[in-house]
Amino acid sequence: MVEVGFFGAAGEVTGSMHVLDTGADKILLDCGMFQGRRKESREKNENFPINRSDITTMILSHAHIDHSGRIPLLTKEGFSGRIVTTRPTKDALDYMLLDSGHIQESDALYLNYKALRTFLYQAEQSKTKQQIANKEKSRIKKLLKKGPHELDVDAIAALQKEYGLDMVTPLYTQEEALESLSFIDGYPFGSQVTIGRGITVKFYVAGHILGSAFSVITVTPENGGKPLKILFTGDIGRFEKPILKDPTLEFDEEDRDIDLMIIESTYGDREHAPVADLSGSLKDTLIRTVERGGSLLIPSFAFGRTQELIYILHQLYESGAVPKVPVYVDSPLASNITKVFGEHPETYDKETHKIFLEKGINPFYFKDIKFVESVEESMRVTQDETPHIVISASGMCEAGRILHHLRYKIHNPKHTILTVGYMAQHTLGRRIEELGLQENQAADKAPEVKILGKSYPLKAHVEKIGGFSAHADRHELMRVVSESNLRVKDIAVVHGEADQSAAFARRLNENGYNAFVPTPGERFKLP
């Protein structure tokens, strides 16, 4: 008996993880990190639904952390198989997972520093029976730092131990992330790869980000009966967007009859702005911000979204349509991923070849762009009061350097925070987006948001350009199902908030398909 278990991104967006169980093999589909409320997501990330040593192979749809971020937890706890993906995704993971490990370590250290600093402030205040002076606060801070931008790891750990304070530990370390990379194998699109006993996978272009794939898994019975076909979409991209090829609609004849399609539904009941409007919307937002004397802050995924923003800004600057203020890409990861994009021109669409490559121009580099590497340089940018653009990770404002740009600029109405992608529930990005739109409609008092443990008034303008999303909207999702040459028997609708998944499943059923929304932990048996 063959069955599929749905253990992550079922009734929610993050934490993508499903298991194909053939009896002889257990194939893991994605190993994504849950994102959202710190404590809740931590508990989910640490608890695997099945024994990791039982998993024989893993298939990875693409490199976004909500699909790949728990790989180091998989490989350090008993997994001894292979992780199979596309070549561009493998190249991207060399940077993505190490960066994730760095973020886990950095966030844990910063939270420990904040908790210890607060404890020492309170202890000193209790001792003196009065509010402590700034001079004393400065002394305590110096005690915990090696320099203006570097925390003293050893001093913080020693003091926490001395005072018996609870320590936040990283989910995994950079070293553990590095070790996980040796498990990953990359293959070309269109090649058939053996991944188990009588099991193969073939990758087709999904168009979501560089290297993202539809995975067609074939399970051939030992008795030579009719093979079963499972199509796992991962995340589906938009049609006619710049840079990458469109999602596949023409599948090989032997892969057309699908017994179970597992399809994402992030925007299962929503429509995006037309792709053609992206450049104009970004232009208008930038001009308004610069006229106020402000800067434009764009929280962005380092992989995919950042490169698309660079591409469009390059076109706008070349045409002279916008003021040429400095563009800072403040994410070492984004810098490295941009290099990976440059190494895989075979994934680009015809338009990118025509506009840039055929003229000998690199789509991702131009005179006014600066890739920020060091923490010191990043801090200088946060304090720059002249108009500029900052593109910085993380895309949902849950970690990374964007948090420091926000805390320096969020209280000033001359600046703009521009969201250009999906913000999951319970993330800081979603809160800024929702409160910012309310504030823009009219409010006597600015709402407050908490960044790194401190509250700030949200006075900056908040704008949203939905068309930048790398996810297909409801029409494009439907297009993959109804306009492709596939013949699909059953459809499991995953990777969406409950209302989005339910709406898309309903639409599929209304159009004659047999669709359902699995609950977390539910298992679906294939004949």
Side-chain angles (χ1 to χ4, degrees), residues 54-285:
D54 291 342
I55 300 167
T56 51
T57 307
M58 177 189 153
I59 296 170
L60 177 63
S61 64
H62 64 287
H64 274 154
I65 291 300
D66 63 323
H67 292 257
S68 69
R70 279 194 284 171
I71 287 175
L73 293 176
L74 171 70
T75 57
K76 77 172 185 176
E77 292 288 345
F79 175 75
S80 59
R82 292 189 305 150
I83 299 170
V84 178
T85 189
T86 66
R87 284 178 176 170
T89 295
K90 180 183 185 302
D91 291 345
L93 287 172
D94 288 346
Y95 301 108
M96 295 287 287
L97 291 181
L98 287 177
D99 182 76
S100 181
H102 172 69
I103 288 173
Q104 300 304 317
E105 291 181 334
S106 298
D107 283 0
L109 177 60
Y110 190 75
L111 288 169
N112 287 329
Y113 160 72
K114 292 273 287 186
L116 178 58
R117 190 184 69 184
T118 300
F119 173 82
L120 294 175
Y121 283 175
Q122 291 173 345
E124 187 64 26
Q125 187 171 312
S126 176
K127 189 192 306 179
T128 60
K129 306 295 184 183
Q130 61 183 4
Q131 190 74 27
I132 63 172
N134 288 334
K135 185 177 180 181
E136 180 59 23
K137 288 183 178 180
S138 180
R139 184 193 71 79
I140 290 171
K141 287 180 182 179
K142 286 181 180 178
L143 185 69
L144 306 178
K145 289 186 175 183
K146 286 184 176 179
H149 306 299
E150 184 181 1
L151 299 177
D152 191 327
V153 179
D154 295 334
I156 291 169
L159 286 167
Q160 283 184 303
K161 184 176 181 181
E162 178 182 340
Y163 291 110
L165 302 177
D166 291 335
M167 290 185 65
V168 177
T169 57
L171 197 60
Y172 52 82
T173 65
Q174 291 182 78
E175 183 179 349
E176 289 165 340
L178 181 62
E179 290 171 356
S180 74
L181 296 176
S182 63
F183 290 79
I184 303 169
D185 296 329
Y187 294 91
F189 285 100
S191 62
Q192 189 162 280
V193 184
T194 299
I195 58 170
R197 282 155 281 195
I199 312 172
T200 62
V201 65
K202 188 188 294 183
F203 296 119
Y204 291 85
V205 172
H208 173 61
I209 59 169
L210 184 78
S212 61
F214 295 147
S215 306
V216 176
I217 305 156
T218 303
V219 181
T220 304
E222 290 184 6
N223 60 14
K226 182 180 179 296
L228 288 172
K229 298 274 184 181
I230 297 98
L231 170 56
F232 175 47
T233 69
D235 287 349
I236 301 173
R238 301 200 61 194
F239 289 85
E240 300 176 5
K241 283 197 77 176
I243 307 175
L244 299 178
K245 295 175 181 177
D246 286 349
T248 301
L249 294 179
E250 293 294 321
F251 292 79
D252 294 341
E253 179 60 37
E254 64 268 23
D255 293 328
R256 290 181 62 187
D257 291 304
I258 303 298
D259 294 279
L260 176 65
M261 173 186 275
I262 305 169
I263 189 170
E264 69 120 322
S265 59
T266 311
Y267 289 95
D269 196 31
R270 298 183 184 129
E271 297 179 31
H272 293 318
V275 170
D277 288 350
L278 299 183
S279 180
S281 298
L282 181 57
K283 179 187 75 172
D284 293 343
T285 300

Side-chain angles (χ1 to χ4, degrees), residues 450-515:
K450 188 170 283 188
I451 303 172
L452 296 172
K454 184 178 178 181
S455 292
Y456 296 85
L458 175 52
K459 294 183 179 180
H461 288 252
V462 177
E463 297 190 29
K464 177 180 180 179
I465 304 179
F468 266 103
S469 175
H471 287 271
D473 67 10
R474 64 179 183 176
H475 300 299
E476 291 163 316
L477 290 171
M478 198 68 197
R479 183 176 176 183
V480 170
V481 179
S482 62
E483 295 185 25
S484 69
N485 64 348
L486 296 173
R487 297 178 287 260
V488 183
K489 185 177 178 183
D490 291 303
I491 303 176
V493 180
V494 299
H495 201 286
E497 292 173 3
D499 61 330
Q500 299 298 308
S501 295
F504 186 57
R506 186 166 57 250
R507 190 173 188 209
L508 286 167
N509 288 322
E510 289 169 353
N511 282 271
Y513 297 97
N514 184 29

Side-chain angles (χ1 to χ4, degrees), residues 220-439:
T220 304
E222 290 184 6
N223 60 14
K226 182 180 179 296
L228 288 172
K229 298 274 184 181
I230 297 98
L231 170 56
F232 175 47
T233 69
D235 287 349
I236 301 173
R238 301 200 61 194
F239 289 85
E240 300 176 5
K241 283 197 77 176
I243 307 175
L244 299 178
K245 295 175 181 177
D246 286 349
T248 301
L249 294 179
E250 293 294 321
F251 292 79
D252 294 341
E253 179 60 37
E254 64 268 23
D255 293 328
R256 290 181 62 187
D257 291 304
I258 303 298
D259 294 279
L260 176 65
M261 173 186 275
I262 305 169
I263 189 170
E264 69 120 322
S265 59
T266 311
Y267 289 95
D269 196 31
R270 298 183 184 129
E271 297 179 31
H272 293 318
V275 170
D277 288 350
L278 299 183
S279 180
S281 298
L282 181 57
K283 179 187 75 172
D284 293 343
T285 300
L286 177 57
I287 290 172
R288 283 195 297 270
T289 303
V290 173
E291 286 177 347
R292 291 195 302 268
S295 296
L296 181 60
L297 305 185
I298 310 178
S300 176
F301 294 111
F303 188 7
R305 191 66 39 76
T306 291
Q307 289 73 36
E308 188 176 353
L309 286 163
I310 293 171
Y311 181 100
I312 293 176
L313 284 169
H314 191 170
Q315 288 183 300
L316 289 172
Y317 276 44
E318 284 289 310
S319 68
V322 294
K324 293 183 179 180
V325 299
V327 179
Y328 296 104
V329 179
D330 191 8
S331 165
L333 174 61
S335 301
N336 288 322
I337 291 297
T338 302
K339 295 174 188 174
V340 175
F341 264 78
E343 294 165 359
H344 289 280
E346 75 279 6
T347 64
Y348 300 171
D349 61 14
K350 292 179 181 178
E351 183 184 29
T352 302
H353 279 270
K354 182 178 179 180
I355 294 174
F356 290 108
L357 299 190
E358 291 177 7
K359 298 176 183 176
I361 301 173
N362 188 322
F364 307 109
Y365 292 91
F366 53 97
K367 183 171 68 70
D368 301 283
I369 195 167
K370 170 69 175 175
F371 290 87
V372 179
E373 296 294 337
S374 70
V375 174
E376 290 78 10
E377 188 178 2
S378 175
M379 292 303 293
R380 285 196 295 271
V381 174
T382 65
Q383 297 169 44
D384 183 359
E385 290 299 318
T386 62
H388 58 267
I389 301 170
V390 172
I391 304 170
S392 185
S394 75
M396 296 187 192
C397 305
E398 282 297 288
R401 294 182 180 179
I402 188 61
L403 296 178
H404 299 283
H405 291 284
L406 287 171
R407 68 191 183 97
Y408 271 89
K409 301 266 195 316
I410 198 168
H411 61 279
N412 193 324
K414 73 179 183 180
H415 302 304
T416 301
I417 301 166
L418 176 65
T419 63
V420 292
Y422 183 77
M423 300 292 182
Q425 285 183 325
H426 312 308
T427 61
L428 175 60
R430 172 70 78 90
R431 182 164 174 78
I432 288 173
E433 190 174 82
E434 291 178 344
L435 290 178
L437 293 177
Q438 291 174 15
E439 193 272 336

